[in-house]
Amino acid sequence: MRNLIEAYRKTFGTEVAALLGFLLMVLVVFSLTAPRFLSGANFGSMAFQLPELGLLTLAMLAPIISGGLNLAIIYTANMAGLTLAWVLLQFGGIDAGPGAFVLGVAAALAVGAAAGAIMGLVIAYIGAHPILVSLAMMIFLRGLGEFLTRGGDISGFPTYLAPIGHGSVLGVPVPMLIFLAAALVWHVLLGRTRHGFSVYMIGSNIRASEYSGIHTKRTLTLIYTLSGMLCAVAGILMLTRFNSVRVGHGEALLLITVLACFLGGVDPFGGFGKVAPVVLALMILQVLSSGLNLLGANQHLSTAVWGLFLICVMVLRWVGARLTQMQKRKGE
Protein backbone atom coordinates (compact mmCIF):
# COMPACT_ATOMS: atom_id res chain seq x y z
CA MET A 1 0.00 0.00 0.00
CA ARG A 2 2.81 2.36 0.87
CA ASN A 3 4.42 1.66 -2.51
CA LEU A 4 1.17 2.56 -4.27
CA ILE A 5 0.95 5.83 -2.36
CA GLU A 6 4.55 6.71 -3.19
CA ALA A 7 3.96 5.87 -6.88
CA TYR A 8 0.86 8.09 -6.83
CA ARG A 9 2.75 11.00 -5.31
CA LYS A 10 5.61 10.59 -7.77
CA THR A 11 3.24 10.56 -10.75
CA PHE A 12 0.70 13.23 -9.84
CA GLY A 13 2.23 15.17 -6.96
CA THR A 14 0.82 15.85 -3.52
CA GLU A 15 -1.49 18.64 -4.73
CA VAL A 16 -3.96 16.46 -6.66
CA ALA A 17 -6.07 15.24 -3.73
CA ALA A 18 -6.50 18.74 -2.30
CA LEU A 19 -7.36 20.23 -5.70
CA LEU A 20 -9.84 17.44 -6.43
CA GLY A 21 -11.52 18.10 -3.09
CA PHE A 22 -11.75 21.81 -3.77
CA LEU A 23 -13.04 21.20 -7.31
CA LEU A 24 -15.76 18.93 -5.90
CA MET A 25 -16.71 21.55 -3.32
CA VAL A 26 -16.98 24.27 -5.98
CA LEU A 27 -19.10 22.01 -8.18
CA VAL A 28 -21.48 21.31 -5.28
CA VAL A 29 -21.77 24.99 -4.34
CA PHE A 30 -22.57 26.16 -7.87
CA SER A 31 -24.93 23.24 -8.51
CA LEU A 32 -26.98 24.42 -5.51
CA THR A 33 -26.84 28.14 -6.30
CA ALA A 34 -27.00 28.18 -10.12
CA PRO A 35 -29.83 26.03 -11.57
CA ARG A 36 -28.27 25.79 -15.04
CA PHE A 37 -24.79 24.94 -13.82
CA LEU A 38 -25.16 21.16 -14.13
CA SER A 39 -26.63 21.38 -17.64
CA GLY A 40 -24.90 19.74 -20.57
CA ALA A 41 -24.79 23.09 -22.36
CA ASN A 42 -22.78 24.66 -19.54
CA PHE A 43 -20.27 21.83 -19.33
CA GLY A 44 -19.96 21.87 -23.11
CA SER A 45 -19.27 25.60 -23.02
CA MET A 46 -16.59 25.12 -20.38
CA ALA A 47 -15.00 22.33 -22.42
CA PHE A 48 -14.74 24.65 -25.42
CA GLN A 49 -13.35 27.59 -23.42
CA LEU A 50 -10.74 25.76 -21.32
CA PRO A 51 -8.35 24.41 -24.03
CA GLU A 52 -7.13 27.82 -25.22
CA LEU A 53 -6.03 28.82 -21.72
CA GLY A 54 -4.88 25.26 -21.03
CA LEU A 55 -2.46 25.07 -23.95
CA LEU A 56 -0.95 28.45 -23.10
CA THR A 57 -0.58 27.37 -19.46
CA LEU A 58 1.27 24.21 -20.50
CA ALA A 59 3.53 26.40 -22.61
CA MET A 60 4.28 28.45 -19.48
CA LEU A 61 4.77 25.39 -17.25
CA ALA A 62 8.18 24.06 -18.34
CA PRO A 63 9.91 27.48 -18.35
CA ILE A 64 8.68 28.12 -14.79
CA ILE A 65 9.84 24.67 -13.62
CA SER A 66 13.26 25.45 -15.07
CA GLY A 67 13.41 28.64 -13.00
CA GLY A 68 12.44 30.96 -15.87
CA LEU A 69 9.36 32.49 -17.47
CA ASN A 70 7.97 32.92 -20.97
CA LEU A 71 6.14 36.23 -21.21
CA ALA A 72 5.87 35.92 -25.01
CA ILE A 73 3.38 33.03 -25.08
CA ILE A 74 0.39 35.13 -26.19
CA TYR A 75 2.13 36.89 -29.06
CA THR A 76 3.92 33.72 -30.12
CA ALA A 77 0.49 32.11 -30.45
CA ASN A 78 -0.84 35.14 -32.34
CA MET A 79 2.13 35.19 -34.72
CA ALA A 80 1.69 31.47 -35.40
CA GLY A 81 -1.98 32.08 -36.13
CA LEU A 82 -1.05 34.93 -38.48
CA THR A 83 1.36 32.62 -40.27
CA LEU A 84 -1.35 30.01 -40.83
CA ALA A 85 -3.76 32.73 -41.96
CA TRP A 86 -1.22 34.11 -44.45
CA VAL A 87 -0.62 30.68 -45.99
CA LEU A 88 -4.35 30.04 -46.32
CA LEU A 89 -4.89 33.44 -47.95
CA GLN A 90 -2.08 32.76 -50.42
CA PHE A 91 -3.92 29.64 -51.54
CA GLY A 92 -7.31 31.25 -51.97
CA GLY A 93 -8.52 32.02 -48.46
CA ILE A 94 -11.95 30.46 -48.10
CA ASP A 95 -11.25 28.24 -51.12
CA ALA A 96 -7.89 26.96 -49.83
CA GLY A 97 -7.62 23.17 -49.83
CA PRO A 98 -6.56 20.82 -47.01
CA GLY A 99 -3.03 20.77 -48.40
CA ALA A 100 -2.73 24.50 -47.79
CA PHE A 101 -3.90 23.98 -44.22
CA VAL A 102 -1.29 21.29 -43.61
CA LEU A 103 1.40 23.57 -45.05
CA GLY A 104 0.13 26.47 -42.93
CA VAL A 105 0.17 24.37 -39.76
CA ALA A 106 3.76 23.32 -40.46
CA ALA A 107 4.75 26.95 -41.05
CA ALA A 108 2.94 28.06 -37.87
CA LEU A 109 4.71 25.41 -35.79
CA ALA A 110 8.03 26.46 -37.32
CA VAL A 111 7.40 30.12 -36.42
CA GLY A 112 6.48 29.19 -32.84
CA ALA A 113 9.54 26.95 -32.51
CA ALA A 114 11.80 29.66 -33.96
CA ALA A 115 10.53 32.29 -31.52
CA GLY A 116 11.07 29.90 -28.62
CA ALA A 117 14.46 28.77 -29.85
CA ILE A 118 15.74 32.35 -30.14
CA MET A 119 14.71 33.02 -26.55
CA GLY A 120 16.26 29.76 -25.37
CA LEU A 121 19.55 30.43 -27.14
CA VAL A 122 19.85 33.93 -25.71
CA ILE A 123 18.99 32.71 -22.20
CA ALA A 124 21.29 29.68 -22.39
CA TYR A 125 24.36 31.01 -24.19
CA ILE A 126 24.33 34.72 -23.33
CA GLY A 127 23.04 34.32 -19.81
CA ALA A 128 20.33 36.98 -20.03
CA HIS A 129 17.45 36.73 -17.57
CA PRO A 130 14.40 34.84 -18.95
CA ILE A 131 12.02 37.64 -17.95
CA LEU A 132 13.98 40.24 -19.93
CA VAL A 133 14.47 37.97 -22.94
CA SER A 134 10.85 36.88 -23.15
CA LEU A 135 9.67 40.46 -22.57
CA ALA A 136 11.84 41.62 -25.48
CA MET A 137 10.46 38.84 -27.67
CA MET A 138 6.91 39.76 -26.64
CA ILE A 139 7.45 43.39 -27.64
CA PHE A 140 9.09 42.35 -30.92
CA LEU A 141 6.31 39.94 -31.90
CA ARG A 142 3.62 42.40 -30.94
CA GLY A 143 5.18 45.19 -32.96
CA LEU A 144 5.79 42.91 -35.93
CA GLY A 145 2.23 41.63 -35.82
CA GLU A 146 0.78 45.13 -35.61
CA PHE A 147 2.95 46.20 -38.55
CA LEU A 148 1.90 43.25 -40.70
CA THR A 149 -1.83 43.51 -39.92
CA ARG A 150 -1.99 47.27 -39.33
CA GLY A 151 -3.91 46.51 -36.16
CA GLY A 152 -6.81 44.82 -37.93
CA ASP A 153 -8.31 41.35 -38.06
CA ILE A 154 -7.66 38.74 -40.72
CA SER A 155 -10.56 36.46 -41.60
CA GLY A 156 -12.04 34.45 -44.45
CA PHE A 157 -10.86 30.87 -44.00
CA PRO A 158 -12.12 27.53 -45.33
CA THR A 159 -15.28 26.09 -43.76
CA TYR A 160 -13.62 22.72 -43.16
CA LEU A 161 -11.68 24.31 -40.27
CA ALA A 162 -14.87 24.76 -38.24
CA PRO A 163 -14.99 21.17 -36.88
CA ILE A 164 -11.53 21.66 -35.34
CA GLY A 165 -12.66 24.64 -33.29
CA HIS A 166 -16.32 23.74 -32.80
CA GLY A 167 -16.70 20.02 -33.47
CA SER A 168 -17.04 17.09 -31.09
CA VAL A 169 -16.00 13.44 -31.07
CA LEU A 170 -18.27 11.14 -29.08
CA GLY A 171 -19.60 14.20 -27.27
CA VAL A 172 -16.16 15.52 -26.32
CA PRO A 173 -15.19 18.85 -27.96
CA VAL A 174 -12.27 18.58 -30.36
CA PRO A 175 -10.40 21.48 -28.66
CA MET A 176 -10.61 19.60 -25.36
CA LEU A 177 -9.22 16.46 -27.01
CA ILE A 178 -6.32 18.51 -28.37
CA PHE A 179 -5.64 19.96 -24.93
CA LEU A 180 -5.81 16.58 -23.19
CA ALA A 181 -3.45 15.09 -25.77
CA ALA A 182 -1.00 17.96 -25.23
CA ALA A 183 -1.27 17.54 -21.44
CA LEU A 184 -0.54 13.82 -21.74
CA VAL A 185 2.49 14.48 -23.94
CA TRP A 186 3.74 17.12 -21.48
CA HIS A 187 3.19 14.73 -18.56
CA VAL A 188 5.28 12.04 -20.23
CA LEU A 189 7.91 14.50 -21.42
CA LEU A 190 8.46 16.05 -18.01
CA GLY A 191 8.00 12.94 -15.90
CA ARG A 192 9.37 10.08 -17.99
CA THR A 193 12.20 11.40 -20.13
CA ARG A 194 15.79 12.52 -19.66
CA HIS A 195 14.81 15.97 -20.87
CA GLY A 196 12.20 16.25 -18.12
CA PHE A 197 14.72 15.19 -15.49
CA SER A 198 17.10 17.86 -16.77
CA VAL A 199 14.35 20.51 -16.59
CA TYR A 200 13.76 19.80 -12.89
CA MET A 201 17.47 19.68 -12.16
CA ILE A 202 18.06 23.04 -13.83
CA GLY A 203 15.18 24.56 -11.90
CA SER A 204 16.56 23.23 -8.62
CA ASN A 205 20.18 24.27 -9.16
CA ILE A 206 21.59 25.07 -12.56
CA ARG A 207 25.20 25.12 -11.35
CA ALA A 208 24.91 21.71 -9.75
CA SER A 209 23.27 20.46 -12.94
CA GLU A 210 26.27 21.59 -14.98
CA TYR A 211 28.67 19.85 -12.62
CA SER A 212 26.61 16.65 -12.79
CA GLY A 213 27.04 16.48 -16.56
CA ILE A 214 23.68 17.83 -17.74
CA HIS A 215 23.90 19.87 -20.95
CA THR A 216 22.08 22.85 -19.46
CA LYS A 217 22.39 25.11 -22.50
CA ARG A 218 20.86 22.54 -24.83
CA THR A 219 18.10 21.78 -22.33
CA LEU A 220 17.20 25.45 -21.88
CA THR A 221 17.06 25.96 -25.62
CA LEU A 222 14.78 22.95 -26.01
CA ILE A 223 12.52 24.09 -23.16
CA TYR A 224 11.70 27.37 -24.87
CA THR A 225 11.54 25.80 -28.33
CA LEU A 226 8.90 23.32 -27.19
CA SER A 227 7.10 26.10 -25.34
CA GLY A 228 6.95 28.09 -28.58
CA MET A 229 5.62 25.10 -30.50
CA LEU A 230 2.83 24.60 -27.98
CA CYS A 231 2.00 28.30 -28.27
CA ALA A 232 1.69 27.73 -32.00
CA VAL A 233 -0.83 24.94 -31.37
CA ALA A 234 -2.82 27.38 -29.24
CA GLY A 235 -2.66 29.96 -32.02
CA ILE A 236 -3.91 27.46 -34.58
CA LEU A 237 -6.78 26.52 -32.29
CA MET A 238 -7.67 30.20 -31.80
CA LEU A 239 -7.92 30.66 -35.56
CA THR A 240 -10.24 27.69 -35.99
CA ARG A 241 -12.43 28.73 -33.03
CA PHE A 242 -12.90 32.38 -33.95
CA ASN A 243 -12.39 32.12 -37.73
CA SER A 244 -10.17 35.18 -37.50
CA VAL A 245 -6.75 36.25 -36.28
CA ARG A 246 -5.86 39.44 -34.46
CA VAL A 247 -2.65 40.54 -32.79
CA GLY A 248 -3.24 40.80 -29.08
CA HIS A 249 -6.02 38.24 -28.88
CA GLY A 250 -5.91 36.62 -25.45
CA GLU A 251 -3.72 39.29 -23.83
CA ALA A 252 -5.64 38.93 -20.57
CA LEU A 253 -4.68 35.25 -20.38
CA LEU A 254 -0.97 35.82 -19.75
CA LEU A 255 -1.15 36.35 -16.00
CA ILE A 256 -3.88 33.70 -15.69
CA THR A 257 -1.45 31.09 -17.05
CA VAL A 258 1.01 31.99 -14.30
CA LEU A 259 -1.82 31.88 -11.76
CA ALA A 260 -2.87 28.40 -12.92
CA CYS A 261 0.71 27.12 -12.61
CA PHE A 262 1.09 28.41 -9.06
CA LEU A 263 -2.35 27.10 -8.05
CA GLY A 264 -1.23 23.72 -9.40
CA GLY A 265 1.66 23.65 -6.94
CA VAL A 266 4.44 24.72 -9.30
CA ASP A 267 7.31 26.28 -7.37
CA PRO A 268 7.72 29.90 -8.58
CA PHE A 269 11.47 29.55 -8.08
CA GLY A 270 11.68 26.40 -10.20
CA GLY A 271 12.50 22.78 -9.59
CA PHE A 272 9.05 21.43 -8.76
CA GLY A 273 5.71 21.06 -10.54
CA LYS A 274 3.46 18.46 -12.13
CA VAL A 275 1.11 18.55 -15.11
CA ALA A 276 -1.90 16.86 -13.44
CA PRO A 277 -2.31 19.43 -10.61
CA VAL A 278 -2.02 22.26 -13.13
CA VAL A 279 -4.79 20.71 -15.26
CA LEU A 280 -6.99 20.50 -12.15
CA ALA A 281 -6.19 24.11 -11.29
CA LEU A 282 -7.31 25.11 -14.79
CA MET A 283 -10.57 23.23 -14.29
CA ILE A 284 -11.16 25.02 -10.98
CA LEU A 285 -10.57 28.42 -12.56
CA GLN A 286 -12.92 27.59 -15.43
CA VAL A 287 -15.63 26.31 -13.07
CA LEU A 288 -15.33 29.44 -10.93
CA SER A 289 -15.60 31.66 -13.98
CA SER A 290 -18.59 29.81 -15.45
CA GLY A 291 -20.39 29.52 -12.11
CA LEU A 292 -20.03 33.21 -11.34
CA ASN A 293 -21.16 34.06 -14.86
CA LEU A 294 -24.35 31.99 -14.39
CA LEU A 295 -24.97 33.84 -11.13
CA GLY A 296 -24.85 37.11 -13.06
CA ALA A 297 -21.52 38.27 -11.69
CA ASN A 298 -19.35 40.66 -13.68
CA GLN A 299 -16.34 39.13 -15.46
CA HIS A 300 -14.07 41.44 -13.48
CA LEU A 301 -15.41 39.85 -10.28
CA SER A 302 -14.30 36.45 -11.59
CA THR A 303 -10.79 37.82 -12.05
CA ALA A 304 -10.87 39.21 -8.51
CA VAL A 305 -12.01 35.83 -7.16
CA TRP A 306 -9.13 34.12 -8.98
CA GLY A 307 -6.63 36.45 -7.31
CA LEU A 308 -8.24 35.98 -3.89
CA PHE A 309 -8.19 32.23 -4.44
CA LEU A 310 -4.44 32.33 -5.10
CA ILE A 311 -3.84 34.33 -1.91
CA CYS A 312 -5.87 31.82 0.11
CA VAL A 313 -3.94 28.91 -1.40
CA MET A 314 -0.60 30.53 -0.50
CA VAL A 315 -1.77 31.13 3.07
CA LEU A 316 -3.00 27.55 3.43
CA ARG A 317 0.28 26.18 2.07
CA TRP A 318 2.23 28.31 4.53
CA VAL A 319 0.06 27.09 7.41
CA GLY A 320 0.46 23.50 6.24
CA ALA A 321 4.24 23.87 6.06
CA ARG A 322 4.36 25.36 9.56
CA LEU A 323 2.25 22.54 10.99
CA THR A 324 4.47 19.96 9.30
CA GLN A 325 7.58 21.57 10.80
CA MET A 326 5.99 21.61 14.25
CA GLN A 327 5.09 17.93 14.00
CA LYS A 328 8.65 17.06 12.97
CA ARG A 329 10.05 18.98 15.92
CA LYS A 330 7.71 17.18 18.30
CA GLY A 331 8.73 13.85 16.80
CA GLU A 332 12.38 14.64 17.40
Side-chain angles (χ1 to χ4, degrees):
M1 186 65 180
R2 182 176 297 177
N3 292 335
L4 289 175
I5 294 175
E6 289 300 323
Y8 169 85
R9 288 179 177 175
K10 184 177 180 181
T11 303
F12 298 108
T14 57
E15 303 282 339
V16 170
L19 289 171
L20 277 174
F22 188 82
L23 177 60
L24 180 61
M25 183 185 72
V26 173
L27 288 171
V28 171
V29 170
F30 282 126
S31 65
L32 295 175
T33 56
R36 293 180 297 165
F37 180 77
L38 293 180
S39 65
N42 183 51
F43 281 104
S45 176
M46 287 191 290
F48 275 108
Q49 294 173 21
L50 176 64
E52 179 181 331
L53 173 61
L55 289 169
L56 292 170
T57 301
L58 292 178
M60 181 69 78
L61 177 59
I64 292 180
I65 293 176
S66 70
L69 202 65
N70 184 359
L71 296 177
I73 57 172
I74 303 299
Y75 291 103
T76 302
N78 290 333
M79 188 56 65
L82 287 174
T83 302
L84 173 57
W86 181 81
V87 172
L88 290 173
L89 292 177
Q90 297 306 304
F91 285 88
I94 196 171
D95 297 319
F101 175 68
V102 173
L103 178 62
V105 167
L109 291 173
V111 167
I118 292 172
M119 287 188 289
L121 288 170
V122 173
I123 293 168
Y125 289 91
I126 296 180
H129 198 284
I131 292 180
L132 297 177
V133 176
S134 59
L135 179 62
M137 179 59 72
M138 180 185 76
I139 295 171
F140 167 71
L141 292 176
R142 178 178 183 175
L144 180 61
E146 293 284 0
F147 170 75
L148 294 175
T149 63
R150 290 170 175 78
D153 294 0
I154 299 178
S155 58
F157 307 121
T159 55
Y160 61 76
L161 298 184
I164 300 176
H166 301 278
S168 299
V169 176
L170 299 177
V172 182
V174 173
M176 178 58 74
L177 292 175
I178 295 173
F179 167 62
L180 292 176
L184 179 60
V185 171
W186 239 234
H187 171 74
V188 174
L189 183 67
L190 291 175
R192 305 293 184 189
T193 66
R194 181 178 297 179
H195 170 72
F197 174 77
S198 300
V199 172
Y200 287 104
M201 286 292 292
I202 289 174
S204 299
N205 192 319
I206 190 169
R207 296 301 179 194
S209 300
E210 291 176 348
Y211 293 142
S212 64
I214 293 175
H215 199 309
T216 57
K217 292 181 173 58
R218 182 173 59 196
T219 301
L220 283 170
T221 303
L222 184 57
I223 287 171
Y224 286 88
T225 301
L226 293 176
S227 176
M229 290 186 69
L230 196 53
C231 290
V233 175
I236 294 167
L237 187 59
M238 289 180 195
L239 182 148
T240 60
R241 269 184 45 77
F242 303 107
N243 197 37
S244 66
V245 181
R246 176 176 57 84
V247 176
H249 174 76
E251 281 180 313
L253 298 179
L254 176 60
L255 294 181
I256 306 303
T257 62
V258 179
L259 169 64
C261 287
F262 293 162
L263 288 179
V266 179
D267 192 326
F269 300 104
F272 181 81
K274 300 284 185 180
V275 173
V278 171
V279 171
L280 283 174
L282 285 166
M283 291 181 179
I284 291 172
L285 292 176
Q286 185 60 60
V287 168
L288 285 171
S289 177
S290 298
L292 291 171
N293 183 56
L294 289 175
L295 291 175
N298 188 284
Q299 179 61 37
H300 298 297
L301 178 61
S302 299
T303 304
V305 170
W306 287 349
L308 181 62
F309 180 42
L310 177 58
I311 293 173
C312 292
V313 168
M314 289 189 293
V315 172
L316 289 174
R317 285 178 180 162
W318 180 83
V319 172
R322 296 284 293 182
L323 291 174
T324 302
Q325 290 178 358
M326 291 174 62
Q327 289 177 353
K328 287 182 178 180
R329 289 173 182 173
K330 289 180 180 180
E332 294 175 354

